[in-house]
Amino acid sequence: MVTTTAWRADPYADALRTGRGPLFLRRDDGWLLPLEVERWCEAPDSADRSVLERCGHRVLDIGCGPGRLVAALAADGRRALGIDVSPEAVSRTERVGGTALCRSVFEPLPEEGRWDTALLIDGNIGIGGDPARLLRRLRRIVSRTGRLLAECAPVDVDERCEVRVDDGRGGRGEPFPWARMGVRALSFHAVDAGWTVSESWTAAGRSFLSLVPQPSVPTRR
């Protein structure tokens, strides 16, 4: 997958290795989205803790990055697994006490259909550039009584675009598809993909949705 190759590029791996930015997602028109590498590599903040307290006992963190949430869940005695397409992200997750696999969410995963909670935090609704496909895929991963906790863009946006990982110093990865969604857009697309919005909240300037499977909607690939 192009996306897999892009996230393995040196700018992203280097930032995770050092725990420092700058790092951006860059569109071809020059627009930049800053990536909060330093926050990702620190202990969970108050917004993260608002997510952690809503997690069940079996948690899959999709796009776990350096593993702060997986490690915090493990330290709390919960069964947590992170997946990430970056080997450096997986290594860093393991170094901080978490368990992770170098795997795409679109590949076969352990215990599909039995996870209490799936996480899409730090903009990871954008994975693959097709939120509808991603949301349908997660219906097959989460249990019938489970939930998906997703972070939304802090603005009202519904965007699909092509981006590159960029370190602001001339280092760039390969282009790949990405998406951004605010609360309204994600709520709309979630319902269409077989989810019900059970809760919406904000913490420390970040926005989140809790989604539960619609019982009568069959899962599709």
Side-chain angles (χ1 to χ4, degrees):
M1 294 177 65
V2 173
T3 302
T4 301
T5 304
W7 284 107
R8 289 178 174 174
D10 285 344
Y12 182 64
D14 290 346
L16 290 190
R17 192 173 298 115
T18 63
R20 297 193 303 273
L23 198 68
F24 307 92
L25 294 182
R26 175 188 285 270
R27 290 193 314 225
D28 284 344
D29 63 6
W31 174 90
L32 293 173
L33 176 67
L35 300 178
E36 299 180 81
V37 177
E38 289 86 354
R39 179 175 65 77
W40 298 349
C41 292
E42 295 173 351
D45 62 14
S46 60
D48 293 330
R49 291 193 295 273
S50 77
V51 173
L52 296 173
E53 68 188 16
R54 288 169 168 83
C55 289
H57 291 287
R58 300 160 62 89
V59 185
L60 182 68
D61 187 358
I62 296 117
C64 65
R68 73 187 188 282
L69 301 181
V70 177
L73 288 163
D76 192 42
R78 284 180 271 190
R79 189 189 186 300
L81 175 67
I83 60 169
D84 204 290
V85 298
S86 164
E88 182 59 35
V90 171
S91 295
R92 182 145 185 160
T93 297
E94 293 173 341
R95 290 199 298 272
V96 297
T99 301
L101 293 176
C102 193
R103 196 80 54 90
S104 164
V105 66
F106 298 110
E107 296 175 319
L109 297 173
E111 302 182 60
E112 291 194 15
R114 290 187 284 171
W115 294 98
D116 296 329
T117 310
L119 301 180
L120 282 176
I121 307 302
D122 301 327
N124 283 334
I125 187 63
I127 289 173
D130 185 346
R133 179 190 178 211
L134 178 58
L135 289 166
R136 289 195 301 269
R137 169 64 175 137
L138 291 173
R139 282 277 283 110
R140 299 176 57 236
I141 291 172
V142 172
S143 74
R144 293 181 180 180
T145 58
R147 69 178 66 186
L148 168 62
L149 302 178
E151 184 169 358
C152 309
V155 293
D156 189 11
V157 63
D158 187 354
E159 176 186 51
R160 291 128 188 88
C161 56
E162 187 174 83
V163 296
R164 299 172 186 261
V165 178
D166 188 311
D167 66 8
R169 300 182 296 270
R172 295 186 185 181
E174 294 298 315
F176 61 94
W178 196 247
R180 296 172 68 227
M181 284 189 172
V183 169
R184 182 167 62 175
L186 182 52
S187 299
F188 174 81
H189 290 287
V191 170
D192 193 51
W195 297 91
T196 296
V197 178
S198 63
E199 185 183 8
S200 173
W201 79 98
T202 60
R206 295 162 60 192
S207 300
F208 304 91
L209 288 179
S210 175
L211 309 174
V212 295
Q214 297 174 17
S216 61
V217 178
T219 58
R220 296 178 293 158
R221 290 185 180 271

